[in-house]
Amino acid sequence: MENSMFCYQCEQTVGGKGCTKMGVCGKSPEIAALQDLLIYQLEGISCYAKYIIDKGEKVDVKFSKFIEDSLFTTLTNVNFDPDTHIKLLQKSQELKDELKSKAEELNFNCDREQVTYKLSDSKSKLLEDAKLARLDRDTDEDPDVRSLKHTILYGLKGISAYGHQARFLNYTSKEVDKFYFEALAAITNPELTLTEAIELMTKTGNMSLEVMKVLDDANTTSYKNPEPTKVNVNIKKGPFIIISGHDLKDLEMLLEQTKDKGVNVYTHGEMLPAHGYPELKKYPHLVGNFGSAWQNQQREFDDIPGCILMTTNCLMRPRESYKDRIYSTNVVGWEGVEHIKTLEDGTKDFSKIIQKAIELGGFKEDQEVKEIIVGFGHEATLKNADAIVNGVKNGAIKHFFVIGGCDGAKPGRNYYTEFAQKVPEDCIILTLACGKYRFNKLEFGDINGIPRLLDIGQCNDVYSATKIALSLSDVFKCDVNKLPLSIVLSWYEQKAVADLLALLALGIKGMILGPSLPAFITPNVLQYLIENYELRPISTAEEDLKDLLENTI
């Protein structure tokens, strides 16, 4: 293999085929190699763990937690720090050896490479060994089975992101913890059949639903159910910290530590929905949302007089103009960026970033207030269920469109703006994740007091969208696919894969996916999805909208 790396896990992969010299995301060949080897190690660990569990023995939760954190570390735009990956690899061998001893006591016998591989001592040897773990390594495996294995792996990465967030709030799922082992062990099986791979892909979707439910419980129990809330999207005078990502506990701790210090806090990217949670919006210095979607961060953060805290993805290469004022936490990292660790008691000390923000001085004057509305989770939206149902019955509401998912810089994403703008005025748009930044500052008005644009929340709030849809199907006494509801998805990274698999596991049909199809999906797998779920790629906004309105399933 003359190429220096191979990665095709995100939508922006080079030529729609794979990044082979440098990741579009900023991932270097070195990081790609270390991540490949880390996944390889997780697969070996999982073979041991699954065997032990199948023998009726218990496996400590530290193993599933390690797998979860490691999977999340390899998700697109999360961690680009070589030292972090080497430490994770070293830890993986410690855990692997511990499970090996226990499994051998139970007569474990398996010669798969991921099981027998022993981590090398030197970095140069690690990088050489990583060739064993590349996803494009030579194999006689059926390409469609391999495609499904990679789809499952990327779904697991998305699941791990949601699981990590929930675990930080002390919410977990034993089912999901066990499934990490089951799925990763299955991926190592050279004899896995196409039927078995399809079944495992469906189960991955079910586990995605499970982990999103757990995360929803974690967030709504900790911070109460989101409620419709106006959010200022312009700036205010004074020192500030911008907090990006998804982790609400990080935001809560930052708000507590900045209280009465004269430091404003702005959300950014996927943290925007945090404003809807009563236990977070009660802080008066949570003043608004800064900027737009993740891919604009280099321009929007350029030389700003304040600090940035990255709690989860998506992190891009920091420019020198703000590298001294951006901080990471959790599994996020970039070489040379200061990392704020979690202390043994589960707390974090944000004093450095707070002091830096005060020293920088912040914005010099207020901008005119401009507000958008967030907070339409399943609880808030279903409070309007009677009005929505009556609106459908009397013809005031003709159709619902879920337009959401990941945003990105690749050309073609204006499709989603155009689609939203063309949606007729007698239709309601539900949106979630950072894809909403394509249109969430536009004016859509309302239908009999119900806003035409309902911001459901973060990417994991696909769970809210499904709960709303299933509740409406109960009211109308019909299958969810018979509702006047269409789903138009945008994808970029692996949480979107988990979301898609969750929707497929629910049997949702007729979804449109774009701006391009995943490179890891073979023509035969795509044909399976078309035949069984009527999944199809986007065309033009006008054609797709016309088709969806005329041919509601």
Side-chain angles (χ1 to χ4, degrees):
M1 295 175 207
E2 67 254 6
N3 296 329
S4 57
M5 64 177 282
F6 179 78
C7 182
Y8 65 174
Q9 68 179 8
C10 86
E11 187 267 335
Q12 291 188 162
T13 195
V14 172
K17 295 180 179 179
C19 294
T20 57
K21 300 187 185 303
M22 186 77 182
V24 172
C25 66
K27 183 193 296 183
S28 67
E30 177 182 79
I31 293 296
L34 295 174
Q35 290 188 352
D36 288 345
L37 194 57
L38 182 56
I39 295 296
Y40 200 66
Q41 282 284 81
L42 300 184
E43 291 169 349
I45 288 171
S46 295
C47 288
Y48 284 120
K50 183 179 185 299
Y51 180 83
I52 292 167
I53 291 170
D54 288 347
K55 287 293 182 179
E57 299 287 328
K58 290 184 179 180
V59 170
D60 194 281
V61 72
K62 70 181 180 183
F63 294 97
S64 50
K65 183 181 184 302
F66 178 80
I67 283 180
E68 188 171 79
D69 288 349
S70 298
L71 283 169
F72 191 12
T73 300
T74 69
L75 191 142
T76 301
N77 288 99
V78 172
N79 196 297
F80 302 82
D81 182 26
D83 288 344
T84 298
H85 287 84
I86 289 172
K87 288 175 183 175
L88 285 171
L89 281 165
Q90 291 168 343
K91 183 66 175 178
S92 75
Q93 191 61 49
E94 289 177 24
L95 295 175
K96 193 175 182 181
D97 289 342
E98 185 178 337
L99 284 176
K100 179 183 178 183
S101 297
K102 186 169 183 178
E104 287 178 347
E105 291 174 5
L106 299 169
N107 300 315
F108 178 75
N109 183 25
C110 177
D111 61 358
R112 293 176 193 170
E113 293 176 349
Q114 294 92 331
V115 173
T116 59
Y117 172 74
K118 180 86 173 177
L119 197 72
S120 300
D121 293 331
S122 70
K123 183 178 178 180
S124 59
K125 189 67 168 66
L126 289 178
L127 295 174
E128 182 65 25
D129 289 352
K131 293 176 182 177
L132 298 169
R134 281 174 57 138
L135 290 181
D136 65 337
R137 60 187 181 269
D138 293 332
T139 175
D140 295 329
E141 194 167 47
D142 181 292
D144 297 325
V145 173
R146 174 187 278 201
S147 171
L148 289 166
K149 283 184 176 183
H150 292 178
T151 303
I152 292 160
L153 173 61
Y154 299 145
L156 285 176
K157 290 188 180 191
I159 288 169
S160 75
Y162 299 149
H164 174 93
Q165 287 173 249
R167 197 180 300 270
F168 197 26
L169 289 167
N170 296 316
Y171 281 71
T172 58
S173 165
K174 290 181 181 178
E175 276 187 278
V176 172
D177 281 358
K178 185 178 176 182
F179 184 69
Y180 289 137
F181 303 136
E182 178 188 343
L184 287 167
I187 288 171
T188 71
N189 182 3
E191 297 177 1
L192 192 73
T193 67
L194 190 62
T195 299
E196 289 169 336
I198 289 171
E199 289 173 353
L200 191 62
M201 181 180 71
T202 301
K203 189 167 183 180
T204 306
N206 285 322
M207 289 301 103
S208 179
L209 283 169
E210 166 67 10
V211 78
M212 284 192 282
K213 179 186 183 301
V214 171
L215 181 52
D216 181 79
D217 289 343
N219 286 338
T220 57
T221 302
S222 301
Y223 306 111
K224 298 184 181 177
N225 279 293
E227 54 193 29
T229 304
K230 292 182 179 179
V231 182
N232 184 19
V233 294
N234 282 339
I235 60 175
K236 292 182 68 68
K237 180 181 178 180
F240 66 91
I241 296 170
I242 297 165
I243 181 167
S244 188
H246 307 73
D247 209 307
L248 302 185
K249 186 173 181 179
D250 281 319
L251 173 59
E252 180 190 26
M253 288 190 290
L254 181 64
L255 289 168
E256 270 296 314
Q257 293 179 40
T258 49
K259 193 165 56 177
D260 302 323
K261 286 188 167 63
V263 176
N264 292 326
V265 175
Y266 297 87
T267 57
H268 172 267
E270 281 264 55
M271 197 65 81
L272 167 62
H275 290 270
Y277 289 88
E279 291 301 303
L280 296 173
K281 71 175 186 174
K282 70 182 183 183
Y283 293 91
H285 61 297
L286 180 61
V287 297
N289 189 71
F290 180 88
S292 53
W294 68 271
Q295 74 274 5
N296 301 320
Q297 65 188 256
Q298 290 174 320
R299 171 173 52 81
E300 293 176 346
F301 294 165
D302 193 31
D303 209 23
I304 57 172
C307 294
I308 308 111
L309 175 63
M310 302 296 298
T311 67
T312 56
N313 65 322
C314 293
L315 172 65
M316 299 175 72
R317 177 191 293 276
R319 290 181 178 175
E320 291 302 317
S321 63
Y322 63 88
K323 195 172 183 180
D324 67 331
R325 59 198 68 182
I326 187 169
Y327 298 73
S328 65
T329 191
N330 299 322
V331 301
V332 186
W334 193 289
E335 192 172 16
V337 167
E338 185 156 356
H339 189 78
I340 298 172
K341 295 181 179 179
T342 305
L343 303 176
E344 287 188 10
D345 63 357
T347 63
K348 297 180 184 182
D349 181 2
F350 291 120
S351 56
K352 280 190 177 181
I353 188 171
I354 294 168
Q355 187 57 40
K356 181 74 171 179
I358 293 170
E359 290 171 4
L360 288 167
F363 296 120
K364 300 302 181 187
E365 57 185 32
D366 293 344
Q367 288 181 340
E368 182 181 352
V369 172
K370 175 178 173 56
E371 294 178 324
I372 60 175
I373 301 179
V374 302
F376 290 97
H378 55 83
E379 178 82 6
T381 300
L382 291 174
K383 279 183 178 178
N384 293 300
D386 288 344
I388 290 171
V389 170
N390 289 334
V392 173
K393 288 180 176 178
N394 65 30
I397 300 173
K398 291 291 199 308
H399 207 91
F400 299 88
F401 290 93
V402 178
I403 310 174
C406 310
D407 202 1
K410 189 174 179 180
R413 289 185 177 269
N414 285 338
Y415 166 95
Y416 297 95
T417 312
E418 186 181 350
F419 192 102
Q421 288 176 312
K422 288 181 180 296
V423 167
E425 293 186 1
D426 55 5
C427 301
I428 286 178
I429 300 169
L430 295 87
T431 191
L432 51 89
C434 60
K436 63 175 147 249
Y437 282 104
R438 290 280 165 175
F439 49 80
N440 69 338
K441 293 177 184 176
L442 302 177
E443 294 293 336
F444 289 93
D446 65 86
I447 300 175
N448 297 332
I450 302 169
R452 286 191 55 239
L453 181 66
L454 302 177
D455 186 338
I456 299 173
Q458 297 179 338
C459 48
N460 52 280
D461 288 308
V462 160
Y463 174 74
S464 269
T466 61
K467 197 162 184 179
I468 292 165
L470 292 172
S471 294
L472 290 175
S473 71
D474 287 342
V475 171
F476 287 109
K477 294 181 171 41
C478 69
D479 182 89
V480 68
N481 289 311
K482 297 296 183 182
L483 288 172
L485 170 72
S486 301
I487 301 178
V488 183
L489 297 176
S490 56
W491 84 283
Y492 172 71
E493 40 85 319
Q494 297 80 68
K495 293 199 299 296
V497 177
D499 293 348
L500 176 62
L501 294 182
L503 292 167
L504 295 179
L506 281 172
I508 305 293
K509 295 184 177 181
M511 291 182 286
I512 298 179
L513 181 66
S516 58
L517 293 175
F520 50 85
I521 297 292
T522 60
N524 285 337
V525 172
L526 176 61
Q527 190 59 37
Y528 170 84
L529 295 175
I530 291 170
E531 290 177 359
N532 289 273
Y533 299 100
E534 300 174 37
L535 184 72
R536 61 187 175 90
I538 62 171
S539 56
T540 67
E542 190 168 358
E543 289 174 1
D544 288 342
L545 182 60
K546 182 174 183 290
D547 180 63
L548 291 171
L549 287 171
E550 290 179 353
N551 300 292
T552 300
I553 298 171

